[in-house]
Amino acid sequence: MRKAKSAFLGVIILFAIWVMLTDTSRQELIFGGATALLIAALFHSRLTVLGDIRLNPKSLLYMVIYVFVFLWELLKSNIDVALRVINPRLPINPGIVKVKTSLKSPLGRAVLANSITLTPGTLTVEMKNDYFYIHWIDVTSDDIEGATKAIVSHFEKYLETIFG
Amino acid sequence: MADTIYNVAAIIALIGIVFTFVRMLLGPTVADRTVALDAMTIIAISVIVYLGYYLNRIIYLDVAIVYALMSFIGVVAVARYIEGKK
Amino acid sequence: MELTGSIITLTGSIVLFLGALGIFRMPDVYNRMQAGTKATTLGTVLFLIGVSLGHPGCGCQGKIFILIVFILATNPVSSNALARAAHTAGIKLTDRSVKDDLKDDTETGEAK
């Protein structure tokens, strides 16, 4: 079941990329669909990571909300960085802190790490076991719990529903 | 009016490329140079897409996509190299 | 429509410029990555959206979309790989840093 779902998602994603890259005449669509099926059939053992995505209405809704939460954070982080850069005194207080994640799925963790990198003042440096090591441009909290609350909590709520 | 604003935007992006280039020349470590090169590539991708529209050559878009792909692979390869060099 | 697109493009290019300035001014490689990754990602996304809004008649919005998704997905990955490599290779944080949990944990053997 999990394998079938990941192969199905793989075909959908590959076909969507094909449609966007080429025009939509009939031969192109048939050829692209056939290629997508072939690739998904050949590499189905590598695609199982996509099986972490849950396909129910609640998770799809959360995906849409997550995109907007993410874009908002990206905008905030850019304003934050811009203000630091144009300030002549360069107000930074950097350091590497350790935070704990409760996500289990590898794909979910990858998405979380990428989101952390693009949100205000944080950059994922290393992942070990359940811990992320994060370079924080303005360290305001000294212990693991405080840093976890400040950096990962607001994403985990959505990602737990989407990836489990 | 709009054309002028587009041109000004492209020029501002190009001035940005100059700053990253200076950092690439100065950068004390390999990692600094790679960060600067990565940023330079991505700004260059924006400018390539703009040029594609400006000169009416849609093929430049494909160039930008391939350039993005190559820069990603290149940065990851350099990262592997730095990691193993220690 | 064209004017909206051009203003979005101008915003994007200013963000790109500030990112480049950040790369130039920040004191160490990790802070440079912070400025570089965030600003180039948003700057490129805005720049491309603005350019494609200003020229609607070419039928290649799909390619722009692919490019935007690709940059959003790969930019943080490459900077993460580079940050990890820099830390493994022992490139130091700036003197203004307050703490380095990863270095402490590597020395005590906790981060294995």
Side-chain angles (χ1 to χ4, degrees), chain A residues 90-138:
Chain A
L90 211 64
I92 55 171
N93 181 27
I96 293 182
V97 297
K98 186 174 169 184
V99 301
K100 191 178 191 322
T101 174
S102 56
L103 292 178
K104 293 280 171 285
S105 110
L107 187 60
R109 285 186 183 189
V111 173
L112 179 64
N114 279 4
S115 306
I116 289 171
T117 300
L118 291 175
T119 49
T122 51
L123 173 83
T124 315
V125 176
E126 178 71 290
M127 296 153 96
K128 288 267 170 66
N129 304 327
D130 277 352
Y131 295 99
F132 284 5
Y133 294 87
I134 288 171
H135 182 266
W136 200 357
I137 208 165
D138 186 13

Side-chain angles (χ1 to χ4, degrees), chain B residues 8-9 27 46 77 79 84:
Chain B
V8 170
S46 311

Side-chain angles (χ1 to χ4, degrees), chain A residues 17 20-21 70 74-75 77-78 81-82 85-98 113-114 117-126 128-129 133 135-137 139 141-142, chain C residues 15 18 21-22 25-28 30-31 33-35 37-39 41-42 62-63 65-66 72-73 76-77 79-80 83-84 87-88 93-94 96-102 105 110-112:
Chain A
I17 293 175
M20 282 183 204
L21 281 178
F70 172 74
L74 181 59
L75 200 66
S77 81
N78 273 280
V81 165
V85 166
I86 55 181
N87 190 327
R89 285 186 297 110
L90 211 64
I92 55 171
N93 181 27
I96 293 182
V97 297
K98 186 174 169 184
N114 279 4
T117 300
L118 291 175
T119 49
T122 51
L123 173 83
T124 315
V125 176
E126 178 71 290
K128 288 267 170 66
N129 304 327
Y133 294 87
H135 182 266
W136 200 357
I137 208 165
V139 177
S141 157
D142 221 20
Chain C
V15 174
L18 288 173
L21 195 64
R25 283 196 64 198
M26 287 293 186
D28 72 352
Y30 307 98
N31 289 309
M33 250 175 244
Q34 293 252 13
T37 314
K38 296 181 221 304
T41 309
L42 184 73
K63 277 181 189 170
F65 183 74
I66 292 264
L72 273 179
V77 175
S79 83
N80 179 9
R84 206 179 95 142
H87 203 280
T88 314
L93 277 75
T94 170
R96 293 169 68 176
S97 305
V98 287
K99 63 188 296 194
D100 188 348
D101 278 350
L102 180 54
D105 279 6
E110 200 181 311
K112 273 277 143 50

Side-chain angles (χ1 to χ4, degrees), chain B residues 2 5-6 9 12 15-16 19 22-23 31-32 35 39 42 46 49-50 53 61-62 65 68-69 72 75 79 83 86, chain C residues 5-6 9 13 17 20-21 23-24 29 32-33 44 47-48 50-51 54-55 60 63 70 74-75 78 82 84-85 88:
Chain B
I5 300 180
Y6 276 121
I12 292 176
I15 298 172
F19 274 105
V22 173
R23 174 49 67 195
D32 290 291
V35 173
I42 288 163
S46 311
V49 171
Y50 168 71
Y53 280 107
L61 261 179
D62 302 74
I65 292 175
L69 197 69
F72 172 61
V75 169
E83 208 169 348
K86 183 170 70 150
Chain C
S6 67
T9 306
S13 76
F17 174 77
L21 195 64
I23 287 179
F24 182 69
V29 65
R32 277 180 202 137
M33 250 175 244
T44 312
F47 199 101
L48 295 184
V51 168
H55 306 76
C60 44
K63 277 181 189 170
F70 188 78
T74 61
N75 223 350
S78 64
L82 207 55
R84 206 179 95 142
T88 314

Side-chain angles (χ1 to χ4, degrees), chain A residues 4-52:
Chain A
K5 187 169 80 177
S6 51
F8 172 74
L9 281 172
V11 170
I12 297 282
I13 292 169
L14 288 169
F15 191 62
I17 293 175
W18 176 266
V19 170
M20 282 183 204
L21 281 178
T22 57
D23 61 354
T24 48
S25 70
R26 196 205 253 157
Q27 292 136 310
E28 297 266 12
L29 287 183
I30 292 172
F31 183 73
T35 317
L37 281 173
L38 184 69
I39 292 177
L42 283 178
F43 295 99
H44 65 275
S45 57
R46 299 287 184 86
L47 287 173
T48 44
V49 72
L50 290 174
D52 290 340

